[in-house]
C-alpha cells in the first residue's frame, strides 16, 4: 500500500466496506474520526453511480467516488467499485454473482465495465472543473469491484493507484472483448483471426496467458492486491484465462485461531484439468448471454434446463393428476424450452463425464471427499447424465397431446427432472466437508473478515451492524472487560447534538412566534388605540359628524371643541405570559440536561480510553461547538 | 417487413453470409437488397436499423444486449468497399432514460478508444454525427490497423450509437495506399443511414 495517498489503508478498507450500503459525507467524516482520532482536514464530496448511470444500463454496477480537497494541494478522488454482495445470505442470487460467472468466468459482459468507465469519466470531469486541476485518482475494489478497477487500469491507465482486496483477477478473455488493441495484437502475434470469439477459447491458454502478462505488465505496475490466504475467489480464478498483474499480493491468514491450519482451495483448483474448465467456459460462453443479460441469475439457472425447478415442485405437490391441469400451460412452455436447451446440456455433461473421475480423485487426494462419498457423487453424476439423455430422447420423439398418452409422456419427463433434483440433493449430502471448506473460502473472501484481521488489535475490534462495520473498543476495568461500540457512541453523540440543535431551533421559532402573536401584537394594538386617542384629542372638530346633521333651521347647534379620552387598557393576562415563558424555560432546561447527558457519555468514554492513542480526546473534542 | 426470416429455411434465403449464418440471420429484417450488397439490419432492441453488408457475420460470442437499453454488436466482413480488405465493425447502441449530452458521451468514447484528438461534426437532419480516424501500429511495428470511429446521436430521442471500423494494413513497412477520405465518406454514408426507432 502506498503511503502517498491521504487516506490511510485502514480508511480505504472501511470505505470499501461502507460502499456496500450508501456512503455519505457524514459517514466518511465519522470513520476518519474513528481511525485517526482527528477531524478531517479537508472537504469531502461524495458521488453515487446511480445519479450518473441508468440503472438498467448499469446491469448491476454500483460505485461511489469520494473526493477530498482542501484548496491547498489536497485533491484526491477515490473511485470505489462495489464488489459482489454477500453470498452467504439467502438472496445470493444477486445480479452481480451471475456477472461473476458470466462476465469473469467466460470473459463476457461489457456492460458493467462500460457503466463503471462512464461513471468515472463523468465525475472526474466534474471534479476537474470544480478544482481546476485533475485530482489524483485512486481506485478501490473488493471482489468483482477489484476486477473492474483492474480492467479499467489495464485498458486505459486512468488511475494513479489501484488497491484491490480479494479481487477476481482479470482474464484475457475479458480483455480481448474490451481492449481492441490487445485483441488485434493477439490476432497478429498468433496469426489467428478472431472473427468469431469462440476461437479464443480453442487457443493455447498458456501462451495467451504469458502474452497477456507481458502485454499488461507496465500498466499493471500501480496495482496492489491484498488477499486472504483462503479466499475462494483467488483460488477459483487461479485457472485458465486468468492472470496476475501488479505486485505480488500481500496475504492475510483469515483463520489464525483455528486449531488446524485452514488451507486454501487453490491447490485443489490448480489440479482441475484444463479441459474440464475449458468445456465449462465454452458452454457458458455459447449458451447464456442473452438470458443472463435480461434475467440475471434466475435466467441463468433456468437456462441450464429450460425448466424452472419451482415448477416441478409445484407440479408434483398438486398430486400428479391435478398437477397437469394446474400447471399445464407453463409445463408445456417449459418443455418447449427444454427441447432446445437439454441437448446442449447433455453434450456438456457427456463431455465432462470423462474428466469427472479425475476431478473426484483430486478431491479425494486433498481429503475434501472420502472414497465412499466420491463413489456416490460419481454415481449421481452418471444418474443425472442418463436422465438428461432420456429427457433429450423423449423430447426428440415429441409429445403428442392429441393422443391419450400425451399427459403421461409429460409426467414421465417431469419425473426425470425430479430424479435429477433428487440426485443434486444426494450430491449435496455427500459433499459436506467440501462445502465446509467452500464456506471457509467464502468467509475469507468477505471484506469484513479482512478488516477484522488487519485493523483489529487487543483493544479494538469490528462488528457488523446494519451492513457496515462498527468499531468496538474494549478495556479491562477492575477485572471486567468493558466493550464500547465507538461508532455507535459517535453516532449517538453527533446525531444527539444535531437533534438538540434542531430542538433549539424549533424552540426559538416558537418563542419568536409567541412574541409576534401575543407580546408584539398586544403592543401594536395598544399603540394603534393610543394613536387614535391622540388624533381625536388633537383635532376634535374632525369628529363633528358624530354629533349628527344640523339643518338651516337648527335652534341649538352643538360643536365639538374638545375630546378628552380616559383610556383603560388591561395588561396582557399574566397567566398567559407565565404559561408560555414557563414552558420555554422548562424545555430549555430539558435540552440542557440532554446536552449534559451526551457530554457525560462522551466524557466517560474518553476517560475510559484516555491512554489509547487511536481514540484520543480529540475524537469528540474537536466536534464540539 | 418480413419478420420470420429466422425461421425460414436457409435454402430459400439469399446465398450470402448475412443470411446463411444462423446468428446473423436473426438480425436481418428483409430479404430485399436495399442497395448494392446491403440488406437491412434490425437491432434486437428494436431501437435502430442500418444497412448491413451481405458478406458480414455477427460474432455471437461478442454480442450482448440489456433489455431495450443497450446492445453490443461486432461483425466481420470480407470486402471493405474502397479497399477490398476484410474489416471489423463494432456497434454499441444505447437508449437512455436520462437526457443525453452527446459531448459527455464523446468524452467517454475518447477514453474507450484511447483517442485524444478532435472529432469532425456534421448534422444530418435530426442526427448529429461525430467522427474521426486514426491508425494503430501494432507493437511489432510490422502491421497496423486503420480505425474509423465516431458517434451518431439522435437529437430528438436519447439514442446513440458508438461505432468503430477497423481495417488492417498487413505491411506497415511498405504502407497501404488506402484512400482514407473515401473510406471515411463510405463509413459516414452507412452510419448516417441509421434510422432510430422508439
Amino acid at each position: 500500500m502506498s503511503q502517498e495517498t491521504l487516506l490511510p489503508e485502514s480508511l480505504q478498507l472501511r470505505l470499501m466496506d461502507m460502499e456496500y450500503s450508501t456512503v455519505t459525507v457524514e459517514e466518511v467524516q465519522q470513520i476518519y474520526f474513528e481511525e485517526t482520532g482527528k477531524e478531517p482536514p479537508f472537504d469531502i464530496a461524495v458521488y453515487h453511480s446511480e445519479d450518473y448511470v441508468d440503472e438498467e444500463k448499469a446491469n448491476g454496477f454500483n460505485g461511489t467516488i469520494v473526493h477530498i480537497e482542501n484548496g491547498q494541494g489536497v485533491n484526491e478522488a477515490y473511485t470505489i467499485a462495489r464488489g459482489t454482495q454477500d453470498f452467504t445470505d439467502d438472496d445470493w442470487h444477486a445480479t452481480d454473482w451471475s456477472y461473476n460467472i458470466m462476465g469473469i468466468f467466460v470473459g463476457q459482459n461489457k456492460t458493467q465495465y462500460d457503466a463503471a468507465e462512464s461513471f468515472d469519466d463523468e465525475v472526474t470531469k466534474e471534479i476537474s472543473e470544480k478544482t481546476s486541476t485533475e485530482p489524483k485518482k485512486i481506485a478501490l475494489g473488493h471482489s468483482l469491484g477489484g476486477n473492474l478497477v483492474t480492467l479499467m487500469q489495464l485498458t486505459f491507465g486512468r488511475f494513479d493507484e489501484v488497491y484491490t482486496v480479494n479481487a477476481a483477477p482479470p482474464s484475457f478473455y475479458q480483455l480481448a472483448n474490451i481492449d481492441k488493441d490487445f485483441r488485434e495484437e493477439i490476432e497478429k502475434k498468433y496469426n489467428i483471426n478472431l472473427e468469431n470469439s469462440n476461437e479464443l477459447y480453442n487457443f493455447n491458454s498458456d501462451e495467451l496467458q504469458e502474452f497477456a502478462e507481458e502485454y499488461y505488465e507496465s500498466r499493471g505496475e500501480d496495482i496492489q492486491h491484498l488477499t486472504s490466504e483462503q479466499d475462494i475467489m483467488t483460488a477459483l480464478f487461479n485457472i485458465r484465462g486468468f492472470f496476475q498483474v501488479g505486485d505480488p499480493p500481500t496475504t492475510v491468514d483469515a483463520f489464525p485461531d483455528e486449531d488446524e491450519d485452514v488451507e486454501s482451495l487453490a491447490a485443489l483448483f490448480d489440479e482441475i484439468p484444463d479441459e474440464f474448465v475449458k468445456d465449462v467456459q465454452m458452454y457458458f460462453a455459447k449458451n447464456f448471454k442473452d438470458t443472463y443479460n435480461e434475467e440475471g441469475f434466475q435466467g441463468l439457472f433456468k437456462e441450464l434446463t429450460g425448466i424452472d425447478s419451482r415448477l416441478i415442485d409445484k407440479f408434483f405437490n398438486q398430486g400428479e393428476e391435478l398437477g397437469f391441469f394446474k400447471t399445464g400451460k407453463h409445463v408445456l412452455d417449459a418443455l418447449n424450452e427444454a427441447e432446445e436447451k437439454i441437448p446442449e446440456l447433455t453434450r456438456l455433461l457427456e463431455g465432462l463425464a470423462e474428466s469427472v473421475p479425475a476431478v473426484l480423485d483430486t478431491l479425494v487426494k486433498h481429503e475434501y471427499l472420502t472414497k465412499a462419498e466420491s463413489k456416490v457423487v460419481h454415481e449421481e453424476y452418471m444418474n443425472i447424465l442418463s436422465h438428461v439423455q432420456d429427457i433429450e430422447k423423449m423430447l426428440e420423439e415429441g409429445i403428442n397431446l392429441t393422443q391419450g398418452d400425451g399427459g403421461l409422456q409429460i409426467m414421465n419427463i417431469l419425473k426425470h427432472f425430479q430424479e435429477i433434483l433428487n440426485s443434486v440433493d444426494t450430491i449435496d449430502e455427500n459433499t459436506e466437508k467440501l462445502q465446509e471448506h467452500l464456506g471457509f473460502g467464502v468467509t475469507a473472501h468477505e471484506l469484513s473478515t479482512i478488516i477484522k484481521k488487519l485493523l483489529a488489535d487487543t483493544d479494538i475490534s469490528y462488528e457488523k451492524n446494519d451492513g457496515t462495520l462498527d468499531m468496538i473498543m474494549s478495556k479491562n476495568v477492575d477485572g471486567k472487560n468493558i466493550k464500547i461500540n465507538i461508532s455507535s457512541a459517535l453516532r449517538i453523540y453527533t446525531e444527539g447534538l444535531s437533534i438538540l440543535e434542531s430542538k433549539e431551533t424549533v424552540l426559538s421559532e416558537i418563542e419568536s412566534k409567541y412574541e409576534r402573536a401575543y407580546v408584539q401584537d398586544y403592543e401594536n394594538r395598544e399603540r394603534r388605540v393610543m394613536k387614535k386617542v391622540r388624533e381625536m384629542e388633537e383635532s376634535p372638530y374632525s369628529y363633528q359628524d358624530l354629533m349628527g346633521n344640523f339643518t338651516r333651521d337648527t335652534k341649538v347647534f352643538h360643536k365639538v371643541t374638545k375630546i378628552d379620552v380616559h383610556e383603560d387598557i388591561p395588561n396582557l393576562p399574566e397567566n398567559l405570559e407565565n404559561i408560555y415563558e414557563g414552558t420555554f424555560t422548562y424545555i430549555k432546561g430539558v435540552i440542557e440536561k440532554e446536552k449534559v447527558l451526551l457530554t457525560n457519555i462522551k466524557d466517560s468514554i474518553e476517560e475510559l480510553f484516555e491512554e489509547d492513542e487511536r481514540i484520543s480526546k480529540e475524537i469528540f473534542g474537536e466536534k464540539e461547538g | 417487413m418480413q419478420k420470420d426470416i429466422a425461421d425460414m429455411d436457409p435454402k430459400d434465403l439469399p446465398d450470402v453470409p448475412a443470411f446463411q449464418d444462423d446468428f446473423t440471420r436473426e438480425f436481418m429484417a428483409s430479404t430485399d437488397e436495399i442497395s448494392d450488397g446491403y440488406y437491412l439490419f434490425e437491432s434486437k432492441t428494436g431501437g435502430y436499423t442500418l444497412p448491413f453488408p451481405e458478406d458480414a457475420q455477427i460474432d455471437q460470442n461478442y454480442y450482448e444486449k440489456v433489455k431495450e437499453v443497450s446492445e453490443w454488436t461486432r461483425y466481420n466482413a470480407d470486402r471493405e468497399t474502397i479497399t477490398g480488405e476484410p474489416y471489423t465493425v463494432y456497434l454499441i447502441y444505447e437508449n437512455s432514460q436520462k437526457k443525453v449530452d452527446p459531448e459527455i458521451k464523446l468524452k467517454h468514447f475518447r477514453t474507450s478508444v484511447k483517442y485524444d484528438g478532435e472529432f469532425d461534426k456534421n448534422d444530418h437532419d435530426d442526427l448529429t454525427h461525430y467522427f474521426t480516424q486514426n491508425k494503430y501500429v501494432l507493437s511489432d511495428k510490422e502491421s497496423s490497423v486503420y480505425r474509423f470511429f465516431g458517434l451518431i446521436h439522435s437529437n430528438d430521442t436519447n439514442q446513440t450509437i458508438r461505432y468503430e471500423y477497423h481495417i488492417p494494413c498487413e505491411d506497415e513497412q511498405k504502407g497501404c495506399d488506402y484512400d482514407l477520405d473515401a473510406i471515411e465518406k463510405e463509413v459516414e454514408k452507412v452510419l448516417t443511414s441509421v434510422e432510430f426507432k422508439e
Side-chain angles (χ1 to χ4, degrees), chain B residues 15-196:
Chain B
D15 189 18
V16 291
F19 285 94
Q20 294 305 315
D21 177 65
D22 290 345
F23 187 65
T24 310
R25 182 164 64 237
E26 295 171 16
F27 295 84
M28 294 300 115
S30 157
T31 50
D32 299 334
E33 217 172 356
I34 48 172
S35 61
D36 194 22
Y38 283 92
Y39 290 87
L40 194 66
F41 161 101
E42 187 179 21
S43 157
K44 286 191 179 180
T45 61
Y48 72 100
T49 58
L50 181 87
F52 189 85
E54 61 181 15
D55 60 347
Q57 283 186 44
I58 296 171
D59 179 355
Q60 184 175 2
N61 285 73
Y62 180 88
Y63 181 78
E64 246 177 70
K65 175 171 98 70
V66 179
K67 300 196 173 121
E68 268 133 42
V69 296
S70 82
E71 181 179 50
W72 301 57
T73 312
R74 171 185 191 271
Y75 64 82
N76 289 276
D78 291 340
R79 282 177 332 290
E80 193 279 319
T81 318
I82 308 292
T83 60
E85 294 291 324
Y87 64 109
T88 306
V89 177
Y90 294 87
L91 300 166
I92 305 171
Y93 164 79
E94 281 179 286
N95 185 8
S96 291
Q97 281 125 36
K98 292 177 184 161
K99 180 95 193 103
V100 168
D101 177 356
E103 297 288 336
I104 287 181
K105 282 263 166 250
L106 208 57
K107 149 113 179 131
H108 175 199
F109 191 49
R110 271 175 210 281
T111 54
S112 64
V113 293
K114 303 173 192 168
Y115 171 77
D116 208 24
E118 292 304 310
F119 283 84
D120 293 326
K121 183 181 166 189
N122 277 347
D123 286 312
H124 303 262
D125 301 326
D126 58 334
L127 298 177
T128 305
H129 183 206
Y130 300 84
F131 60 101
T132 188
Q133 48 168 288
N134 70 357
K135 187 170 87 171
Y136 175 69
V137 180
L138 280 97
S139 47
D140 64 4
K141 309 268 185 275
E142 282 174 8
S143 59
S144 58
V145 181
Y146 287 89
R147 295 171 175 179
F148 301 81
F149 50 97
L151 188 149
I152 288 270
H153 176 69
S154 156
N155 301 322
D156 300 334
T157 63
N158 285 319
Q159 292 160 296
T160 54
I161 292 172
R162 288 175 264 164
Y163 71 85
E164 291 181 56
Y165 273 62
H166 288 202
I167 306 172
C169 167
E170 294 303 336
D171 194 340
E172 171 62 15
Q173 303 300 326
K174 227 166 73 192
C176 293
D177 196 15
Y178 296 158
D179 184 347
L180 301 180
D181 289 342
I183 301 171
E184 194 169 280
K185 281 207 178 69
E186 193 59 29
V187 171
E188 177 158 31
K189 198 172 88 192
V190 172
L191 265 300
T192 51
S193 320
V194 161
E195 278 187 38
F196 286 110

Side-chain angles (χ1 to χ4, degrees), chain A residues 475-494:
Chain A
K475 185 165 184 171
N476 274 314
V477 180
D478 301 331
K480 276 185 194 159
N481 190 273
I482 295 180
K483 281 190 170 183
I484 303 277
N485 184 327
I486 291 294
S487 306
S488 173
L490 250 175
R491 277 195 294 269
I492 291 171
Y493 187 68
T494 45

Side-chain angles (χ1 to χ4, degrees), chain A residues 8 81 86 98 113 182 263 287 322 375 377 400 407-408 412 451 474 534 605:
Chain A
D86 264 357
S98 21
Y113 173 82
F182 177 60
E263 287 194 14
N287 290 289
L322 249 182
K375 197 164 159 268
V377 172
N400 195 342
L408 201 66
N412 281 337
I451 291 180
S474 62
R534 270 197 311 281
I605 294 174

Side-chain angles (χ1 to χ4, degrees), chain A residues 191-468:
Chain A
N191 196 23
I192 49 175
N193 185 351
L194 297 176
E195 249 178 43
N196 183 327
S197 302
N198 249 348
E199 320 244 343
L200 205 56
Y201 297 101
N202 290 324
F203 199 72
N204 182 318
S205 62
D206 288 341
E207 256 185 71
L208 276 179
Q209 169 148 357
E210 206 175 299
F211 176 65
E213 272 166 359
E214 190 190 308
Y215 184 79
Y216 288 113
E217 191 185 359
S218 65
R219 272 189 233 159
E221 266 173 2
D222 297 314
I223 305 178
Q224 285 159 50
H225 311 282
L226 176 70
T227 57
S228 25
E229 281 170 30
Q230 299 88 350
D231 173 32
I232 194 169
M233 197 169 256
T234 310
L236 194 60
F237 288 113
N238 196 12
I239 49 170
R240 188 172 208 272
F242 299 90
F243 65 100
Q244 289 299 333
V245 284
D247 293 338
T250 311
T251 54
V252 190
D253 181 359
F255 306 100
D257 307 326
E258 290 283 324
D259 295 341
E260 258 177 80
D261 275 356
V262 178
E263 287 194 14
S264 162
L265 291 165
L268 169 74
F269 290 132
D270 278 354
E271 287 181 35
I272 290 183
D274 196 51
E275 278 303 305
F276 186 89
V277 178
K278 178 182 153 191
D279 285 351
V280 174
Q281 279 180 339
M282 291 274 283
Y283 176 71
F284 273 80
K286 256 181 92 184
N287 290 289
F288 286 137
K289 268 183 328 289
D290 285 6
T291 313
Y292 159 65
N293 284 328
E294 314 246 318
E295 294 164 39
F297 183 85
Q298 299 221 322
L300 191 74
F301 186 79
K302 191 162 155 272
E303 193 78 355
L304 267 170
T305 59
I307 299 241
D308 190 331
S309 61
R310 284 170 303 190
L311 186 64
I312 295 177
D313 285 347
K314 204 172 161 194
F315 182 91
F316 287 105
N317 283 342
Q318 303 277 356
E320 291 173 7
E321 289 92 42
L322 249 182
F324 183 69
F325 294 104
K326 295 248 175 168
T327 51
K329 192 190 170 309
H330 298 295
V331 169
L332 287 181
D333 288 349
L335 288 180
N336 273 334
E337 237 186 292
E339 201 175 342
E340 271 179 46
K341 309 292 178 197
I342 289 291
E344 283 277 357
L345 180 64
T346 315
R347 298 294 89 73
L348 172 74
L349 294 178
E350 284 170 353
L352 295 184
E354 215 175 295
S355 37
V356 162
V359 172
L360 289 171
D361 285 348
T362 313
L363 287 167
V364 173
K365 184 181 141 202
H366 288 268
E367 293 177 6
Y368 293 111
L369 288 185
T370 63
K371 276 212 157 122
E373 285 172 335
S374 150
K375 197 164 159 268
V376 175
V377 172
H378 191 216
E379 276 166 18
E380 295 299 340
Y381 182 90
M382 297 315 284
N383 278 345
I384 294 176
L385 176 59
S386 92
H387 285 300
V388 173
Q389 284 167 332
D390 285 347
I391 294 172
E392 184 186 6
K393 214 157 74 203
M394 292 164 85
L395 288 172
E396 239 173 46
E397 284 161 8
I399 298 159
N400 195 342
L401 277 178
T402 55
Q403 308 248 323
D405 61 349
L408 201 66
Q409 287 175 344
I410 288 173
M411 204 166 71
N412 281 337
I413 293 175
L414 290 186
K415 275 188 175 155
H416 281 291
F417 274 111
Q418 205 183 20
E419 287 298 325
I420 292 174
L421 290 173
N422 290 342
S423 292
V424 170
D425 283 345
T426 312
I427 291 178
D428 189 47
E429 286 158 18
N430 280 277
T431 48
E432 268 176 18
K433 184 168 180 200
L434 177 64
Q435 289 186 38
E436 184 198 7
H437 276 261
L438 290 171
F440 280 132
V442 167
T443 306
H445 180 68
E446 283 166 8
L447 194 56
S448 55
T449 309
I450 287 252
I451 291 180
K452 284 174 188 169
K453 291 290 162 299
L454 269 192
L455 304 188
D457 57 32
T458 42
D459 302 329
I460 292 175
S461 58
Y462 293 84
E463 267 173 33
K464 266 244 145 99
N465 177 20
D466 219 3
T468 52

